[in-house]
């Protein structure tokens, strides 16, 4: 294919490695994919960074379908697995940089940027994209602020799709059917990949598919309402509930990715891409534990209201590359829109945090919340990279992003108005006219402008030194409006007998903005001890922008002035040493690294102390340090393997507070397993029809905490677990058939949840998907 390896879609600082069995005079050896980590052709072993990659072939062999599966095959990723029901919050953790609790209770998108940036191709965007037709998945660990900007404190995760091929017409059709333990229905997955070259300069590629996942969680306790939609009184202090609802967490999604590659000349190329993803889930992938009806059943969740969610993502991008000979100019332009709508059962929250509703006003103070969000993003990036020299290599660039984000949420207590009006013994001083108890509209505008560059000096053939910097200016503003039609008299007694002067009762509007200009630096050096052994050292900074919370400090629900107004940027300084290379006639490769990260002013996405408004606050400094090991290789002529191990210790470096919640020096950061490991192996057995492939992969994560310490109401220790996937398949030149078992030992795999202290009888754990057994069939046309 004519499209050059130094394309914009392979952003500076990324690499890939694809291992396969290749024949040579000396026997099989590791086959290397040429990479462009410095925007010029290089072997992965020449790149002086700790960067991992999982090839598209490995992603397919492991049956990776979405984001939930990535942590099983990519080493060192800690992830709160919520299944397909991901509204837009990025819970990916690399190198232990996470301060957020692992509760996932609120579907409202987080205010702060994530600690790990995620890219689809060359576009910075997080979504639960389908993993079909990927060239590779790249994992860049440690702060990547110089090249990837804000939100790359812990690292960067990149999904690189395959590009159109100019040389061949092809079609790749896949169909899959499977059953899941505890589920009554079957799951289906169909996809097609079509590549069509129109000429030796123009080609199109289309990827489309549909995936339907059977549910396995049963819902109990759902309200069986009366004709008005209100809870029905049983006459004994309880309300009538429906019978158990089977498989309430089923989901489906369809996706489309199209791209067109035009090679105008040997020096000019265009890549236009469009991607759409549509996800519809009926409920959470969660289980209520040790509470209520059927608490001994493994896959049962207690709910008052069903919790469906839908989301849509549209991504349009244009990559242009111009080769000037001495340097390559790359331009990436993208427009992305993400929309989501959800229903959330907040009854557990109202039972605990807002208990006064049930105590003073209404015995059946169940709560249902409806929300919607929209995130629009325009991104433009330019890079000019030298084509390589004996003495100096360099890259310079400019980045601009304009992001507009809105979220609306309304919470109702069905039957509240009718009950207060008919009950002469209620303590309410105000008679409400609506069951709406809270509504809010949040608007956020964020602009990021930056220039960046890196310069590499080759002191000798073995020794190089690289320095980099990023200079940026950021603007962040937020407006927040909330309505309180019914004000609890426990906190606010209106003088006039009403709750406000407008039609919605009392409304409070707040607006705050925050601007920052700053820079970060990077230093890297490496030395080739031998042709196949490299040692390196990196000192790099990463950062995440600050902002404004705009929570109310006046009116019926005021928060303390100065406690939640604005939040500062947090920064990470990474010091790392490592060694990488090949062994035993290049049949095995390894990477070993040790890192120490100082994290200043970590950001917490949390809720305000008194009235649970979404907000971000800074906590005390933290430190994360650890050890990483990766091995890949071939054993004999038919067996390949890969192994990854990560040890991470993340803790608070000093005493402090988040809002009014205490943190203690030496305490563990939430959601961080100390030990994580992944492995995979493939055995190839030639037969007359083609090749039989035996595959096994697995991963392990040690225990972790869901909150900073036991004084937090949503603190829980989640147990360690391991999971294994296996398959056996026959592959020929034109078709393949595979039998697979995911989660072979049927491990529960808890990764987060909400505790009884915070949610009472509606508490839950997020679970991994149970054992699934299925058949996959693939047919190729070339």
């Amino acid at each position: 294919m004519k499209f050059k390896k130094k394309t914009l879609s392979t952003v500076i600082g990324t690499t890939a490695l694809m291992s396969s069995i290749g024949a040579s005079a000396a026997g099989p050896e590791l086959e290397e994919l040429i990479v462009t980590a410095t925007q010029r052709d290089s072997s992965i072993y020449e790149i002086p960074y700790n960067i991992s990659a999982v090839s598209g072939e490995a992603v397919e062999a492991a049956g990776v379908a979405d984001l939930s599966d990535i942590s099983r095959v990519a080493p060192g990723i800690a992830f709160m697995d919520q299944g397909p029901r991901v509204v837009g919050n990025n819970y990916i953790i690399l190198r232990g940089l996470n301060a957020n609790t692992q509760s996932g209770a609120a579907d409202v998108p987080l205010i702060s940027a994530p600690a790990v940036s995620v890219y689809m191709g060359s576009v910075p965007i997080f979504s639960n994209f389908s993993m079909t037709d990927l060239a590779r998945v790249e994992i860049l660990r440690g702060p990547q602020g110089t090249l990837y900007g804000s939100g790359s404190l812990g690292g960067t995760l990149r999904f690189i799709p395959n590009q159109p091929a100019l040389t061949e017409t092809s079609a790749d059709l896949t169909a899959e059917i499977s059953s899941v333990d505890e589920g009554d229905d079957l799951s289906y997955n169909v996809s097609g990949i079509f590549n069509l070259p129109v000429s030796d300069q123009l080609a199109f590629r289309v990827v489309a598919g549909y995936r339907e996942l059977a549910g396995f969680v049963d819902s109990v306790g759902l309200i069986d309402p009366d004709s008005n939609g209100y809870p029905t009184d049983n006459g004994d202090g309880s309300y009538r509930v429906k019978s158990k609802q089977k498989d309430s967490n089923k989901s489906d999604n369809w996706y489309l990715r199209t791209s067109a590659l035009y090679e105008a000349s040997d020096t000019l190329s265009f890549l236009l891409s469009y991607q759409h993803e549509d996800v519809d889930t009926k409920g959470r992938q969660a289980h209520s534990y040790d509470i209520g009806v059927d608490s001994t059943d493994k896959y049962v969740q207690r709910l008052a209201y069903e919790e469906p969610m839908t989301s849509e993502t549209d991504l349009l991008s244009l990559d242009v590359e111009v080769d000037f000979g001495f340097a390559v100019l790359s331009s990436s332009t993208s427009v992305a829109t993400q929309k989501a709508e959800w229903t959330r059962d907040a009854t557990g929250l109202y039972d605990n945090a807002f208990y006064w509703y049930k105590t003073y006003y209404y015995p059946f103070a169940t709560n249902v919340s409806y929300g919607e969000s929209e995130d629009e993003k325009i991104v433009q990036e330019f890079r000019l990279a030298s084509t390589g020299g004996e003495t100096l290599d360099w890259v310079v660039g400019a980045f601009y992003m304009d992001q507009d984000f809105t979220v609306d949420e309304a919470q109702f207590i069905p039957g509240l108005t009718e009950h207060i009006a008919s009950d002469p013994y209620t303590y309410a001083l105000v008679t409400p006219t609506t069951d709406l108890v809270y509504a809010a509209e949040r608007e956020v505008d964020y602009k990021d402008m930056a220039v960046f560059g890196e310069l590499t000096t080759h002191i000798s053939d073995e020794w190089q030194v690289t320095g980099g910097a990023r200079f940026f200016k950021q603007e962040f503003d937020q407006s927040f409006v909330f309505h309180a039609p019914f004000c609890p008299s426990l906190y606010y007694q209106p003088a006039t007998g009403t709750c406000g002067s407008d039609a919605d009762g009392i409304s409070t509007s707040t607006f705050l903005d925050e601007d920052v200009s700053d820079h970060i630096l990077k230093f890297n050096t490496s030395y080739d001890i031998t042709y196949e052994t490299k040692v390196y050292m990196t000192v790099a900074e990463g950062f995440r922008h600050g902002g404004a919370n705009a929570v109310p400090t006046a009116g019926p629900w005021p928060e303390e002035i100065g406690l939640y107004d604005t939040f500062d940027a947090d920064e990470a300084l990474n010091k790392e040493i490592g060694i990488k290379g090949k062994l035993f006639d290049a049949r095995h490769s390894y990477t070993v690294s040790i890192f120490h990260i100082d994290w200043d002013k970590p950001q917490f996405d949390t809720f305000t102390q008194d009235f649970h408004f979404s907000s971000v606050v800074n906590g005390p400094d933290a430190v994360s340090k650890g050890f990483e090991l990766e091995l890949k290789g071939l054993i004999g002529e038919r067996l390949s393997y890969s192994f990854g191990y990560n040890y991470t210790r993340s803790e608070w470096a000093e005493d402090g507070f988040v809002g009014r919640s205490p943190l203690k020096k030496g305490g563990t950061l939430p959601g961080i397993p100390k030990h994580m490991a992944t492995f995979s192996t493939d055995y190839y057995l030639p037969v007359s029809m083609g090749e039989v492939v035996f595959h096994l992969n697995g991963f392990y994560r040690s225990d972790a905490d869901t909150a900073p310490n036991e004084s937090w109401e949503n603190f829980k220790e989640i147990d360690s677990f391991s999971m294994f996937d296996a398959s056996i398949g026959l592959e020929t030149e034109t078709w393949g058939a595979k039998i697979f078992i995911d989660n072979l030992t049927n491990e529960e795999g808890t990764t987060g949840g909400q505790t009884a202290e915070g949610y009472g009888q509606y508490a839950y754990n997020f679970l991994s998907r149970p054992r699934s057994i299925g058949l996959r069939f693939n047919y190729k046309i070339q």
Side-chain angles (χ1 to χ4, degrees):
M1 131 174 137
K2 291 178 63 179
F3 194 53
K4 294 174 285 299
K5 296 183 181 71
K6 300 191 293 289
T7 60
L8 181 65
S9 62
T10 308
V11 177
I12 303 165
T14 66
T15 85
L17 172 64
M18 293 191 290
S19 299
S20 63
I21 297 180
S24 69
E29 62 182 19
L30 285 177
E31 182 180 349
E32 302 172 24
L33 176 70
I34 298 301
V35 298
T36 53
T38 55
Q39 202 70 334
R40 57 192 59 85
D41 294 350
S42 304
S43 161
I44 189 172
Y45 306 108
E46 297 174 6
I47 308 302
Y49 313 123
N50 184 4
I51 302 175
S52 303
V54 181
S55 70
E57 289 86 348
V59 168
E60 182 180 355
V64 172
D66 59 17
L67 194 60
S68 299
D69 299 327
I70 288 297
S71 61
R72 300 191 189 186
V73 297
I77 297 178
F79 180 62
M80 185 167 63
D81 185 0
Q82 299 184 72
R85 195 183 194 278
V86 179
V87 171
N89 290 330
N90 178 346
Y91 290 106
I92 299 171
I93 303 172
L94 289 174
R95 286 194 169 174
L97 296 192
N98 176 69
N100 291 335
T101 62
Q102 302 295 284
S103 64
D107 295 314
V108 176
L110 303 178
I111 299 172
S112 71
V116 174
S117 59
V118 177
Y119 281 70
M120 174 55 71
S122 59
V123 181
I125 182 173
F126 173 80
S127 183
N128 196 14
F129 286 113
S130 169
M131 300 291 115
T132 304
D133 195 37
L134 292 182
R136 61 193 178 274
V137 179
E138 302 171 345
I139 306 100
L140 291 72
R141 298 186 185 86
Q144 302 292 328
T146 304
L147 297 176
Y148 292 92
S150 179
S152 58
L153 285 171
T156 298
L157 184 63
R158 299 189 67 237
F159 301 98
I160 312 298
N162 283 313
Q163 295 176 356
L166 291 167
T167 57
E168 64 179 21
T169 300
S170 65
D172 193 335
L173 307 176
T174 301
E176 178 184 304
I177 185 171
S178 63
S179 64
V180 61
D181 278 23
E182 309 294 333
D184 293 340
D185 299 325
L186 295 175
S187 297
Y188 305 93
N189 190 2
V190 293
S191 65
I193 304 169
F194 308 93
N195 192 90
L196 177 64
V198 178
S199 67
D200 59 357
Q201 292 179 296
L202 177 64
F204 297 91
R205 193 175 187 90
V206 178
V207 181
Y210 173 79
R211 184 185 186 208
E212 182 176 310
L213 280 178
F216 58 88
V217 175
D218 300 334
S219 296
V220 298
L222 291 171
I223 287 174
D224 187 8
D226 61 18
S227 59
N228 295 315
Y230 304 152
T232 305
D233 190 350
N234 284 328
D236 60 358
S238 65
Y239 54 79
R240 189 173 67 204
V241 299
K242 299 177 182 178
S243 59
K244 180 190 295 186
Q245 304 293 299
K246 294 285 291 180
D247 303 336
S248 60
N249 68 315
K250 63 182 179 180
S251 67
D252 60 74
N253 76 292
W254 70 272
Y255 51 91
L256 172 70
R257 183 167 67 242
T258 62
S259 55
L261 172 63
Y262 178 55
E263 293 275 9
S265 67
D266 291 339
T267 60
L268 177 62
S269 62
F270 300 85
L271 179 65
L272 179 65
S273 301
Y274 169 73
Q275 186 163 349
H276 177 84
E277 195 93 15
D278 190 298
V279 181
D280 183 357
T281 62
K282 306 305 179 185
R284 295 188 193 276
Q285 190 170 297
H287 158 69
S288 298
Y289 53 94
D290 299 332
I291 47 169
V293 180
D294 296 323
S295 63
T296 58
D297 290 352
K298 194 172 184 179
Y299 297 103
V300 171
Q301 184 183 9
R302 171 170 285 276
L303 293 165
Y305 298 95
E306 295 176 338
E307 297 186 309
M309 185 279 294
T310 61
S311 66
E312 294 183 9
T313 300
D314 290 280
L315 172 60
L316 179 66
S317 63
L318 174 64
D319 294 345
V320 182
E321 184 179 283
V322 184
D323 192 341
F324 294 112
F326 73 95
V328 175
L329 175 65
S330 302
S331 169
S332 176
T333 308
S334 61
V335 178
T337 302
Q338 296 174 280
K339 299 179 180 179
E341 295 183 2
W342 64 88
T343 300
R344 176 167 66 106
D345 178 18
T347 302
L349 173 66
Y350 275 69
D351 270 356
N352 287 267
F354 302 142
Y355 61 88
W356 63 80
Y357 282 107
K358 196 168 185 176
T359 303
Y360 296 101
Y361 306 116
Y362 185 28
F364 308 136
T366 59
N367 184 275
V368 59
S369 174
Y370 303 100
E372 59 182 17
S373 63
E374 182 171 354
D375 190 352
E376 296 180 346
K377 186 182 299 183
I378 298 174
V379 180
Q380 175 64 58
E381 187 165 29
F382 295 101
R383 289 187 178 87
L384 183 65
S386 66
T387 51
E390 294 184 0
T391 305
L392 295 176
D393 296 324
W394 50 266
V395 58
V396 293
F399 177 85
Y400 174 80
M401 181 173 71
D402 187 347
Q403 181 180 16
D404 293 311
F405 169 71
T406 61
V407 58
D408 299 334
E409 187 176 31
Q411 297 179 356
F412 296 85
I413 298 181
L416 173 67
T417 303
E418 181 180 83
H419 178 80
I420 292 180
S422 62
D423 186 354
Y425 300 104
T426 183
Y427 288 90
L429 299 181
V430 178
T431 302
T433 59
T434 174
D435 289 342
L436 176 67
V437 295
Y438 171 82
E441 299 94 41
R442 186 185 302 272
E443 295 184 7
V444 175
D445 183 32
Y446 171 62
K447 290 182 176 64
D448 185 5
M449 296 151 282
V451 293
F452 57 88
E454 288 191 356
L455 175 66
T456 299
T457 301
H458 300 279
I459 298 176
S460 67
D461 290 342
E462 297 81 18
W463 185 18
Q464 68 83 30
V465 176
T466 298
R470 188 180 188 98
F471 299 84
F472 54 89
K473 179 180 180 181
Q474 298 169 339
E475 301 173 358
F476 183 99
D477 62 63
Q478 180 179 174
S479 64
F480 180 68
V481 180
F482 87 95
H483 311 280
F486 173 46
C487 306
S489 59
L490 183 64
Y491 283 85
Y492 179 72
Q493 294 188 13
T496 62
T498 66
C499 263
S501 57
D502 60 19
D504 290 325
I506 185 70
S507 295
T508 300
S509 300
T510 311
F511 177 85
L512 285 175
D513 58 7
E514 184 81 358
D515 298 343
V516 63
S517 297
D518 207 341
H519 68 278
I520 59 171
L521 303 174
K522 173 184 177 180
F523 173 82
N524 170 267
T525 186
S526 66
Y527 187 84
D528 295 337
I529 299 175
T530 68
Y531 176 74
E532 295 182 338
T533 305
K534 179 188 296 292
V535 293
Y536 67 87
M537 180 189 73
T538 299
V539 179
E541 293 180 304
F543 73 103
R544 177 168 47 173
H545 68 75
N549 286 312
V551 299
T553 55
W557 291 357
E559 295 293 342
E560 182 178 331
I561 296 175
L563 190 60
Y564 298 101
D565 294 350
T566 62
F567 56 97
D568 296 330
D570 54 353
E571 297 184 357
L573 176 62
N574 177 43
K575 290 162 282 187
E576 175 181 348
I577 58 174
I579 183 171
K580 64 197 314 185
K582 305 176 188 177
L583 296 170
F584 306 113
D585 298 324
R587 294 174 60 85
H588 304 268
S589 68
Y590 67 91
T591 300
V592 179
S593 62
I594 300 173
F595 66 89
H596 180 109
I597 302 176
D598 292 310
W599 191 7
D600 296 334
K601 299 180 180 179
Q603 292 179 10
F604 284 75
D605 276 277
T606 185
F607 298 96
T608 58
Q609 190 78 26
D610 293 327
F611 301 106
H612 284 244
F613 297 115
S614 296
S615 63
V616 182
V617 297
N618 296 97
D621 293 348
V623 61
S624 182
K625 47 194 173 182
F627 166 82
E628 298 164 336
L629 168 68
E630 274 194 78
L631 300 172
K632 296 175 183 286
L634 305 170
I635 300 175
E637 296 184 358
R638 298 175 182 172
L639 181 66
S640 66
Y641 75 91
S642 67
F643 173 78
Y645 169 74
N646 300 74
Y647 170 82
T648 307
R649 182 174 180 83
S650 300
E651 57 189 30
W652 307 113
E654 58 187 15
D655 294 340
F657 288 85
V658 172
R660 301 190 187 99
S661 300
L663 297 171
K664 295 295 184 181
K665 180 179 179 179
T668 303
L669 272 64
I672 315 298
K674 282 187 179 180
H675 306 277
M676 290 186 289
T678 60
F679 87 93
S680 68
T681 181
D682 292 275
Y683 182 77
Y684 303 85
L685 178 64
V687 295
S688 59
M689 297 179 64
E691 198 169 47
V692 176
V693 181
F694 300 87
H695 173 82
L696 178 67
N697 68 268
F699 84 102
Y700 167 81
R701 56 175 282 171
S702 61
D703 55 14
D705 298 334
T706 59
N709 55 54
E710 294 182 0
S711 68
W712 294 51
E713 67 177 12
N714 57 348
F715 175 87
K716 176 181 173 61
E717 183 177 295
I718 50 180
D719 294 334
S720 63
F721 68 92
S722 56
M723 299 184 69
F724 303 91
D725 303 329
S727 67
I728 177 173
L730 173 63
E731 297 180 2
T732 71
E733 290 186 358
T734 57
W735 61 270
K738 178 186 295 186
I739 298 173
F740 64 88
I741 305 177
D742 293 338
N743 194 356
L744 188 65
T745 58
N746 206 24
E747 182 69 46
E748 185 173 305
T750 299
T751 56
Q754 187 61 254
T755 66
E757 286 74 17
Y759 252 55
Q761 63 176 331
Y762 298 95
Y764 54 82
N765 282 336
F766 290 117
L767 304 173
S768 298
R769 194 166 178 82
R771 178 170 49 225
S772 298
I773 302 175
L775 174 66
R776 183 180 300 121
F777 183 80
N778 175 262
Y779 184 70
K780 298 180 180 180
I781 303 173
Q782 290 182 329

